[in-house]
Amino acid sequence: MAIRRIEILGSEVLRTPGEEVETFDGELESLVDDMFRTMYHAEGVGLAAPQIGLSLRLFVVDVPEDEDEGREGFRAALVNPEIIERSAEVEKAPEGCLSIPGMEGVVERPVSVVMEARDPQGEPLRIEASGLLARALQHELDHLNGVLFIDHLSPLNRKMLLRKWEKARAEAEEETAPL
Ligand code: CO
């Protein structure tokens, strides 16, 4: 059991579509365990396998309960997930990503989705989600297809975000004094 290194924008694996998981065994369960640990350590609400360097169709999510917004908590590991229904209604909301730390962009997505997947034991799951959970499920599924939230931004907004990202990266490098 370990905290894994999170791949950052620019890494090839983030742009590589994941392969279906075919074996549901102890190894998968311990990978899921590592993914939850890594996600909590990085204080995220979702983490997909490509983000830790594995081209697999698998992600973990933990959207906390929020009484003010009338939202129930949802925690799961979803294997080979698919969206089988999406609402025509869309909404815009800010999104970030553990692989593009410090950056945020407003992304338009369907308000609600129905997702089917397997749990780490291979049992089928069906999730009807709306609001933040629906957004998280769509964001994580994108990762399994090599898609990042910045791909959903307008060309101008993407350009601005990438410029800010490169500036922040360059500054971080300067701060690291050579030994
Ligand atoms: Co992400």
Side-chain angles (χ1 to χ4, degrees), residues 1-7 30-44 47 49 51-54 98:
M1 290 184 287
I3 290 166
R4 307 283 188 107
R5 191 172 68 92
I6 296 179
E7 298 289 327
S30 98
L31 170 59
V32 164
D33 198 69
D34 281 4
M35 287 176 68
F36 273 117
R37 280 165 188 266
T38 305
M39 179 182 76
Y40 292 133
H41 183 254
E43 298 180 357
L47 182 75
Q51 291 183 277
I52 56 162
L54 300 170
L98 292 175

Side-chain angles (χ1 to χ4, degrees), residues 77-161:
L78 301 183
V79 184
N80 301 338
E82 274 179 80
I83 289 176
I84 57 159
E85 269 177 62
R86 28 172 79 76
S87 63
E89 191 192 343
V90 295
E91 79 184 344
K92 290 182 179 178
E95 264 176 53
C97 180
L98 292 175
S99 292
I100 318 174
M103 299 295 124
E104 206 177 86
V106 174
V107 179
E108 183 178 282
R109 296 191 188 268
V111 175
S112 55
V113 296
V114 179
M115 182 171 268
E116 286 183 353
R118 304 240 165 216
D119 73 10
Q121 287 74 44
E123 297 301 319
L125 291 172
R126 180 188 163 92
I127 305 133
E128 293 179 21
S130 59
L132 179 61
L133 178 58
R135 181 167 293 275
L137 296 179
Q138 293 174 80
H139 177 113
E140 299 312 326
L141 180 62
D142 272 354
H143 274 301
L144 310 188
N145 295 322
V147 174
L148 300 171
F149 84 84
I150 55 173
D151 303 341
H152 295 287
L153 303 178
S154 70
L156 179 65
N157 285 346
R158 182 163 56 241
K159 205 170 160 187
M160 279 164 46
L161 184 147

